[in-house]
Amino acid sequence: MSEHLSLSVREARASLSRVIEPGDLLGCLMVSLLGPQTAWELIRAESAPPASYQQGVAEAAERAGLSQRQRSLRHGLARWRTRVRQADGPRDLRRIRQLGGDLLIPEDAAWPRQLDELHPAAPLGLWFRTAPAGASPQHPMEELSTRMPAPHRRVAVVGAREMTDYGARVAYELSEELASHGVAIISGGAYGIDAAAHRGALAAARAADHRSAPTLAVLAGGVDRLYPAGNERLLQAISGRGLLLSELPPGASPTRHRFLHRNRIIAGLSAATVVVEARVRSGALSTANHALALSRPVGAVPGDIHSAASAGTHRLLQEAPAHLVTNALDIVHMISSADVMPTAAAAPAQPKLTDAQPLRDRLDRMSEPDRLLYDAFPRRRLITPGRLAEEAGLPVPQVLSGLTRLQANGLVRASNGEWGRCE
């Protein structure tokens, strides 16, 4: 056995997080199939991958809907090997532990299993920090377990960076009230709504004088790089009372690509996602889309109809299965209700074909994407929109709109956020 293959699973995942970018589905599938230690050894080797590895990864990638080029292990290895010299898992682990943190991995008992639902885009691990500069707890993993609340007590509060005074007040007050009742607020640590939500949660924690996790910030760069710089004091405060999290290793720079992929983790960690303010093209809406794909409830706060800052939230209420949120109690009902996800039945009514009409006639009327979607359904069980997207190889927004059409035609039904065939 080589020296590098003797790396522990945690060290191997630390090294892999340095070479495989967030959202690189081929890399995630390879690690899932081969295991982190074998995957790391394969990347750092200069030889061609064994034929069995190539075939296995290609088949998994095809099932995940990747194109023929995207599922080539040879192309993937060429991409990842450009960063091998930068990767040193043991070094990065020493560095994060000096800062009062560690790397949480899927093999740990404390791993948030909700993130597994993101497969094949589930993170390889989560780097975390539980102490501000100059104060390092002796046992970061133990500290993590006290600061990571139960899944049903985590809510994402997100929105635009360019918020209005109204949005700032709403985000702060909602988060403060939720945190005062033991609900952890998850956001992205950015300017605007994110920062207002974090501050509201921290205010509740100070008032209650406790150290439970009032707020978790998921960053788009390393947790040792407190970005944006204008929020440094806020992020220090979060690390002291809550958690800083990232799938990227120490020192990694935040980029636009990484911000977008970070949003799936915010949605994946949360029992529900609330969008306070968002323009039509706001990145916060991508967090909502990820939550919908996971069949998690989504809420939106209404705003001034003349304000561009609320145009995205209003569109969310019009076009997606989203809940109207006006206070913290609305959010509590979202995550505690037995039927937490409104279905496409709430969409504008469409002419419905009668059940007596032959199934073949209805299928013949479908567009090709809707036929792919219908064919992706299992025969006798329910399935989430996220799994449907994976099986059909279609983007999540297209799946959601397709479900509306299929339901209107009496072909599929919704139950507690999952979908099944009517036939």
Side-chain angles (χ1 to χ4, degrees):
M1 181 178 291
S2 74
E3 174 187 352
H4 288 270
L5 194 57
S6 65
L7 289 179
S8 70
V9 172
R10 196 178 313 279
E11 290 169 333
R13 285 191 178 273
S15 296
L16 289 165
S17 74
R18 180 72 67 179
V19 301
I20 297 177
E21 274 289 315
D24 188 332
L25 301 187
L26 185 68
C28 295
L29 286 167
M30 177 189 65
V31 175
S32 177
L33 284 171
L34 305 182
Q37 291 160 301
T38 300
W40 172 241
E41 180 69 7
L42 183 63
I43 290 174
R44 64 170 301 277
E46 296 182 359
S47 56
S52 59
Y53 289 2
Q54 294 187 62
Q55 181 178 352
V57 172
E59 290 174 354
E62 184 177 9
R63 290 193 297 271
L66 275 66
S67 69
Q68 187 167 359
R69 180 176 177 82
Q70 288 175 323
R71 55 182 182 253
S72 167
L73 185 56
R74 285 178 176 271
H75 285 123
L77 289 171
R79 180 168 70 247
W80 305 320
R81 285 170 178 170
T82 62
R83 292 180 171 177
V84 163
R85 292 188 179 182
Q86 304 172 22
D88 187 335
R91 177 200 61 198
D92 284 337
L93 288 168
R94 288 193 298 271
R95 182 175 178 182
I96 196 65
R97 287 163 183 164
Q98 289 171 353
L99 295 173
D102 212 319
L103 175 64
L104 183 66
I105 59 175
E107 290 79 6
D108 289 325
W111 178 257
R113 293 297 157 196
Q114 300 76 21
L115 292 180
D116 295 342
E117 296 177 39
L118 292 170
H119 181 79
L124 299 173
L126 284 178
W127 297 87
F128 68 91
R129 186 170 169 183
T130 62
S136 301
Q138 293 183 345
H139 303 290
M141 282 292 184
E142 293 179 10
E143 190 71 19
L144 170 85
S145 65
T146 68
R147 301 192 189 192
M148 181 74 80
H152 67 283
R153 288 188 170 273
R154 302 196 295 255
V155 170
V157 178
V158 298
R161 288 174 172 80
E162 297 178 359
M163 64 180 175
T164 65
D165 290 342
Y166 164 78
R169 185 172 70 254
V170 170
Y172 185 98
E173 291 175 355
L174 285 177
S175 300
E176 183 181 32
E177 186 170 356
L178 288 169
S180 69
H181 289 86
V183 176
I185 303 302
I186 302 178
S187 200
Y191 294 131
I193 296 298
D194 287 15
H198 289 308
R199 289 191 175 100
L202 288 169
R206 287 192 293 269
D209 193 25
H210 61 73
R211 282 175 53 82
S212 61
T215 189
L216 288 68
V218 184
L219 306 183
V223 293
D224 58 332
R225 298 184 58 150
L226 302 185
Y227 181 90
N231 281 352
E232 181 175 353
R233 291 183 63 185
L234 173 63
L235 295 171
Q236 289 277 11
I238 294 172
S239 67
R241 288 182 176 268
L243 287 171
L244 298 181
L245 300 163
S246 177
E247 61 186 314
L248 291 150
S253 302
T255 64
R256 177 174 175 77
H257 161 86
R258 291 169 176 176
F259 275 110
L260 291 174
H261 284 289
R262 174 273 307 270
N263 292 340
R264 81 192 195 286
I265 297 180
I266 294 176
L269 285 171
S270 306
T273 294
V274 177
V275 183
V276 176
E277 270 188 334
R279 294 175 179 267
V280 172
R281 297 181 63 83
S282 172
L285 297 181
S286 74
T287 308
N289 285 331
H290 285 299
L292 290 171
L294 294 168
S295 297
R296 312 277 174 83
V298 169
V301 176
D304 185 341
I305 61 171
H306 301 293
S307 172
S310 291
T313 53
H314 293 159
R315 177 170 290 185
L316 193 61
L317 288 167
Q318 289 175 320
E319 299 179 1
H323 297 256
L324 179 70
V325 170
T326 60
N327 55 49
L329 187 59
D330 290 338
I331 302 171
V332 173
H333 286 161
M334 279 170 53
I335 59 179
S336 61
S337 171
D339 187 10
V340 295
M341 185 128 164
T343 69
Q350 299 183 28
K352 184 173 181 178
L353 298 174
T354 65
D355 292 337
Q357 197 163 2
L359 174 62
R360 177 58 56 190
D361 288 351
R362 284 179 276 175
L363 295 179
D364 288 344
R365 293 171 182 263
M366 287 185 193
S367 65
E368 184 63 23
D370 285 359
R371 181 59 188 265
L372 284 173
L373 180 60
Y374 184 78
D375 289 344
F377 273 88
R379 290 287 180 184
R380 299 185 183 279
R381 61 182 175 84
L382 300 176
I383 188 171
T384 66
R387 287 288 298 165
L388 275 171
E390 179 181 339
E391 293 294 330
L394 297 172
V396 169
Q398 193 170 354
V399 168
L400 294 174
S401 61
L403 288 173
T404 302
R405 291 188 293 272
L406 294 179
Q407 186 184 48
N409 284 323
L411 292 168
V412 301
R413 58 189 172 83
S415 177
N416 294 336
E418 295 185 312
W419 294 77
R421 290 187 178 186
C422 292
E423 303 293 334

